[in-house]
Every structure is written in C-alpha cells, then in structure tokens.
Amino acid sequence: MKIYDYLLAGSFLFFVALSGTATAAAQKEAAPSPAEQKLILRQIASIRDPQERNAVATQGTAWLMTTYLCQSAARRALVRLGSSSSRFFLQDDKPESQRVINASLIQGRGQYQTKTNPIEWVTFTWECHLDPSTGKVRKSESST
C-alpha cells in the first residue's frame, strides 16, 4: 500500500467516526453521501502537513462539505452578484451559519467583498444543491 492509501483509509475512519451518531450534535447534522465523502477525503489526504491535515479533518461536516464541495460553484454565483472573486466567506459569526439539510442540500449565510468598494462587505444567503451520487454541484444560488 502506498502512503496515500494509508492516509485515505485513516482519514476515512476518522471521518466516519465524526459523522457517526454517538452524540446528539452528530444526530442533528446530516451525513454526506459516499461519493461526497470520497471527494472530501481525497482533498484532506492531499494536505501534506500532518498537523494541518488533522486540523482540517476535525472540522464539522457542514464546513467540510461547504469548503470542498460548494466553494468553487459559490464563487461563480457571487461574482454575478458583484463580489470580487477571491474575497468571500460561506459562513458568518453566528451559530449554524452553514447547515447540511441532507446529502443534496447545504444552506448558509455568508459575506462577500464588493468589486467596486473593497472595504464594503455584503451579507448574503446561499444554497448549494449537490448530486449525492457524484458529489458534484448541480446548482449554487446566492441572494442578498
């Protein structure tokens, strides 16, 4: 087995433990589909620094799905709203700013920096519609 295979297997077991139903908090949050888990685990395994990889792997399911499955599609939608392409957050400082409704829908609140006024931040809501069989984004919607 290659080191990648060990990392992937270890990350998968860690991810399964995180998405289990051992606590009430875990029961509230929907789990990603197997295809979505595979895409997320591949990204985590590609992080070279072990401390950074472990820190990322311990993030919540909503953060992992948002970051690794929805972020690129959200960028395109936000640019259409007037965002600079590189300065946005798919979360805010309030609880539950990212929610996994089910394996095909993640919703949240965020902020983006405008193109025309770099010190202005606009709040928005977003939805990321996924295809659970592939883990790919079907549609990303954002509104202010």
Side-chain angles (χ1 to χ4, degrees):
M1 266 180 129
K2 295 179 183 174
I3 187 82
Y4 173 80
D5 295 328
Y6 286 114
L7 289 173
L8 191 59
S11 295
F12 178 74
L13 291 174
F14 188 73
F15 192 74
V16 168
L18 283 178
S19 62
T21 58
T23 66
Q27 290 175 0
K28 283 180 19 181
E29 196 166 48
S33 71
E36 292 165 347
Q37 287 179 7
K38 184 177 179 181
L39 290 172
I40 292 167
L41 292 173
R42 185 178 300 140
Q43 292 295 319
I44 292 171
S46 72
I47 300 171
R48 292 179 185 232
D49 181 275
Q51 289 179 324
E52 183 181 348
R53 186 173 48 252
N54 289 335
V56 167
T58 61
Q59 295 298 312
T61 302
W63 186 89
L64 290 167
M65 291 180 76
T66 299
T67 301
Y68 291 118
L69 303 178
C70 299
Q71 187 125 357
S72 293
R75 177 175 284 113
R76 291 186 296 274
L78 291 170
V79 166
R80 286 191 294 272
L81 286 177
S83 167
S84 69
S85 64
S86 61
R87 299 293 297 167
F88 68 92
F89 299 99
L90 295 179
Q91 62 188 25
D92 60 24
D93 61 346
K94 296 173 186 73
E96 296 187 18
S97 65
Q98 301 171 325
R99 295 175 316 281
V100 179
I101 306 305
N102 54 48
S104 63
L105 178 61
I106 306 170
Q107 297 175 328
R109 299 179 307 267
Q111 304 170 44
Y112 66 81
Q113 190 177 44
T114 64
K115 279 186 218 177
T116 56
N117 185 357
I119 61 170
E120 179 184 11
W121 287 84
V122 176
T123 58
F124 66 95
T125 58
W126 57 270
E127 288 189 346
C128 179
H129 301 266
L130 298 163
D131 178 351
S133 65
T134 64
K136 303 292 181 185
V137 175
R138 287 182 175 161
K139 177 172 58 170
S140 180
E141 300 175 304
S142 298
S143 61
T144 54

